[in-house]
Amino acid sequence: MRILVVNVNTTPSITASIGAQAAGAASPGTEIVPLTPAFGAESVEGNYESYLAAVAVMETVRAYPEPFDAVIQAGYGEHGREGLQELLDVPVVDITEAAASTAQFLGRTYSVVTSLDRTVPLIEERLRIAGLGARCASVRASGLAVLDLERDESAAVEAIAEQAARAVDEDRAEVVCLGCGGMSGLTERVVARTGVPVVDGVTAAVTIAESLVRLGLTTSKVRTYAPPRPKKFVNWPPQ
C-alpha cells in the first residue's frame, strides 16, 4: 500500500517531520510518500494562503507519476479536500477531520490546540462543514506561528501544553487534538501535562487511510464528489 502525505506549505523540514510521524504510524507493508508542493507559502496561516495551498496540493498530487492507494492532506483546517475527492478514485483523508473523528471515540468532548488565533475560524469552519463541530468544546490558539514550532521546540511544547491544560480545566474537554501538522511528535508531552488522550491528526489519518484501503472503500462519485466535467481551461496550468 502506498499513501501520499502532502504538506500544505513549502517548508521541506515540516514535510520531513510530517512524513516521519506518518511512517511511524504506518503498518508493515505501507509505504509513506511525503510530498512538498512546488509553489505556495512557507507556512499557511490564513485564507489566502490556504486557498493557494489547496491548488498547490491538488497539482502536486496530479503530477505524482506512480500509482498510489490513498492521499492524506496534512494541513489543519485547510481548504482543498473536496477538490482532491473529485479528482481521485482513491480515499482522501484530511488531518483535521481525522483527528476530530478519532477524538469522538475517546471522550464526550474534544478541544483543538492550534497555532495563531487567526487560524481558529478556519478550523471551526472546517469542523462545521465536516459535521464534527457539535462535540468540539473549543479551538484554542497557542500564539505560535507555524514556523515557531521548529525554532524553539521547548517554548512550543510549553505554549501548546498550557492551552491544552486550560482546554481540559476551563472548557471541560476530555480529549485534545493537536491542530497543526507541524505539531506532529508532541503528543506524549501534552499527554503528560494534561492526563487526557491527545490525538495527532497525521497519525490518525494514516490509520484511517489504511483502514479504508483494506476495506476496499473510497469516495462516492454519485453526486457531490463526481469527477470534474471535461471543459476548456484558459491559461491553466500556468506555463
Side-chain angles (χ1 to χ4, degrees):
M1 184 187 308
R2 177 181 289 157
I3 300 176
L4 307 186
V5 180
V6 193
N7 185 8
V8 298
N9 66 49
T10 57
T11 300
S13 57
I14 293 180
T15 303
S17 175
I18 291 169
Q21 189 74 1
S27 301
T30 295
E31 178 188 3
I32 298 294
V33 180
L35 297 176
T36 304
F39 61 91
E42 63 179 352
S43 61
V44 180
E45 294 165 326
N47 281 286
Y48 172 73
E49 294 161 358
S50 180
Y51 279 112
L52 182 60
V55 176
V57 167
M58 285 187 281
E59 291 306 298
T60 298
V61 172
R62 277 162 48 92
Y64 186 76
E66 303 294 332
F68 53 90
D69 300 290
V71 172
I72 292 171
Q73 178 175 290
Y76 217 95
E78 309 305 337
H79 302 90
R81 184 263 299 163
E82 297 90 341
L84 283 171
Q85 287 184 294
E86 287 187 2
L87 290 172
L88 303 177
D89 293 322
V90 301
V92 176
V93 182
D94 170 77
I95 65 170
T96 316
E97 298 171 14
S101 59
T102 300
Q104 294 186 137
F105 288 106
L106 306 174
R108 179 176 176 272
T109 57
Y110 69 93
S111 285
V112 178
V113 178
T114 188
S115 52
L116 298 177
D117 182 67
R118 65 175 296 159
T119 66
V120 169
L122 277 73
I123 293 171
E124 291 175 337
E125 183 66 8
R126 296 308 296 176
L127 293 173
R128 184 192 66 80
I129 290 171
L132 295 166
R135 288 165 61 182
C136 181
S138 61
V139 180
R140 284 182 167 267
S142 64
L144 298 167
V146 170
L147 298 181
D148 289 340
L149 298 171
E150 291 191 312
R151 294 188 183 111
D152 189 341
E153 184 174 324
S154 61
V157 171
E158 177 59 30
I160 293 162
E162 170 66 21
Q163 291 302 319
R166 291 183 64 183
V168 174
D169 294 339
E170 299 174 18
D171 306 331
R172 303 180 65 80
E174 298 177 5
V175 184
V176 170
C177 296
L178 299 179
C180 176
M183 292 179 183
S184 290
L186 303 184
T187 305
E188 291 183 3
R189 281 169 283 186
V190 180
V191 169
R193 178 70 173 270
T194 61
V196 303
V198 176
V199 183
D200 168 64
V202 174
T203 56
V206 169
T207 58
I208 291 170
E210 287 183 329
S211 297
L212 291 172
V213 172
R214 292 194 179 102
L215 290 168
L217 298 172
T218 190
T219 306
S220 172
K221 297 294 182 178
V222 169
R223 187 174 298 109
T224 307
Y225 305 119
R229 295 181 63 196
K231 61 185 66 175
K232 179 181 178 181
F233 284 75
V234 177
N235 296 326
W236 185 260
Q239 300 301 318

